[in-house]
Amino acid sequence: MEGLPDKREETLGLVDLDGAMSVLTCAHRLRTMLNDYARQSVGLTIERVSALCVIDLAKSLTIGQLAANLSRTENATTTLTARLASQGLVQRQRVLEGDGREVRVTLTGSAQIALVQFRSGLSAFYKSIISSPDTDVLLELIETARGFREEIANL
């Protein structure tokens, strides 16, 4: 019949939705667990630790560069770096060239210590995920992804 999707398109749409929802659910759980670990290990959210990691890799970034790396707006990144600065974790300095509105961000010694502490426990954190009761959730995600791949291959 004209105008109706064929069975392949209809099935693909349902598979996409189920697979996507399973992946999003698992990703959310993992992010929550990682955020809990970040809070316990260094007293920061995973968002703030991520920002520190990006700055650490680059050594110095403008707010715009950091925003692009974090997939955030410059306004949100300005607020984030202001909070990190108030915690003594980053230094913000105006760039004198140009119109003086550009700000560069660098880590402080306290931030570097926090990152060492955060990174030193990551291996144990990952091992705890693998051996936790939530492992069933991860295994379910893997099985869902495999089934998703097979269903698409058979369409």
Side-chain angles (χ1 to χ4, degrees), residues 30-150:
L30 288 173
R31 185 188 188 287
T32 300
M33 293 167 77
L34 193 54
N35 194 54
D36 290 346
Y37 165 71
R39 285 183 181 277
Q40 291 168 2
S41 66
V42 292
L44 298 169
T45 64
I46 194 58
E47 177 184 45
R48 290 182 185 185
V49 172
S50 295
L52 295 178
C53 288
V54 170
I55 298 165
D56 185 43
L57 286 172
K59 303 300 179 216
S60 174
L61 291 169
T62 65
I63 296 292
Q65 291 167 330
L66 182 58
N69 277 280
L70 296 174
S71 298
R72 296 179 55 123
T73 65
E74 288 190 29
N75 286 342
T77 305
T78 298
T79 301
L80 173 65
T81 58
R83 289 183 179 144
L84 290 169
S86 72
Q87 291 178 289
L89 298 170
V90 300
Q91 291 180 332
R92 297 165 13 130
Q93 294 184 317
R94 291 218 176 267
V95 175
L96 298 178
E97 296 108 30
D99 62 10
R101 291 184 295 167
E102 192 171 69
V103 174
R104 291 195 78 75
V105 183
T106 56
L107 295 184
T108 64
S110 296
Q112 292 175 354
I113 290 168
L115 285 178
V116 167
Q117 185 174 342
F118 175 80
R119 289 172 176 149
S120 70
L122 273 178
S123 180
F125 166 74
Y126 290 131
K127 286 178 185 174
S128 75
I129 288 176
I130 292 168
S131 63
S132 79
D134 283 341
T135 300
D136 292 342
V137 173
L138 299 175
L139 294 175
E140 182 181 327
L141 173 67
I142 292 167
E143 288 306 312
T144 300
R146 284 183 182 147
F148 177 62
R149 184 179 61 205
E150 288 171 11

